Amino acid sequence: MRLDRGATGFCGPGDKPANETNLTLFRSACWEAARRIGGRVGELPSAGASSFHSATITSCAEEYFVLCHAHLLVVAFTEVPSVPGQPLSRFVNPPPWADTYEAVGFRCLQVEDLSLPMSKVDVAELAETELTQIRYWRPQALSDLLFNWWD
């Protein structure tokens, strides 16, 4: 898998800032997904010190936690909420209603994508600052790089 610049969430002095994900688009997709399953959208906190935004979508039968990268048009789903500073775990494949994200341009990542070892990830497009962060933090899998709390 080839990553675009901004994947780590970092840019260095003199680097052109990475694009910001359109949060209105993400929020709209969350509301549409919740509507389709007769559910509701929980709090939509800002990314803060992480490389991602998150949302909770709850119905009477299930609860999903949706992660939206702050700079790339990708989303992932987990069974448990993110805890600031803690590695993310228990990723799940996109639910059937995830096509609401794809309809507005997001790519829904599968568990197989997120588990990809870093040795199989193409980082050639990343800025030097991002490569420095990767060497420092040593992510093991694509999920560790995309959805991080690096400071």
Side-chain angles (χ1 to χ4, degrees), residues 11 16 32 40 60 63 69 82 84 114 121-122 128-129 137:
C11 70
K16 178 183 172 200
E32 177 60 19
R40 62 183 175 82
C60 61
E63 182 173 54
H69 195 277
S82 59
L114 295 160
V121 176
D122 182 350
E128 184 57 39
T129 301
W137 292 101

Side-chain angles (χ1 to χ4, degrees), residues 129-148:
T129 301
E130 292 184 284
L131 298 174
T132 299
Q133 293 298 320
I134 291 169
R135 287 189 294 273
Y136 179 80
W137 292 101
R138 297 182 183 158
Q140 298 299 303
L142 179 61
S143 62
D144 299 331
L145 184 145
L146 291 177
F147 302 105
N148 68 64

Side-chain angles (χ1 to χ4, degrees), residues 8 11 19 24 30 41-42 65 109 117 123 128 131 138 143 147:
T8 65
C11 70
N19 293 331
T24 302
C30 289
V41 177
F65 302 93
L109 297 175
V123 297
E128 184 57 39
L131 298 174
R138 297 182 183 158
S143 62
F147 302 105

Side-chain angles (χ1 to χ4, degrees), residues 11 16 26 51 56 67 70 87 92 102 112 124 136 139 144:
C11 70
K16 178 183 172 200
F26 173 61
S51 64
T56 305
L67 309 176
V92 295
E102 293 171 339
E112 181 180 354
Y136 179 80
D144 299 331

Side-chain angles (χ1 to χ4, degrees), residues 18 29 43 49 65 73 79 97-99 103 116 127 129 136 138 145 149:
E43 185 179 347
F65 302 93
L73 288 173
E79 292 180 333
W97 44 263
D99 62 350
L116 195 65
T129 301
Y136 179 80
R138 297 182 183 158
L145 184 145
W149 301 95

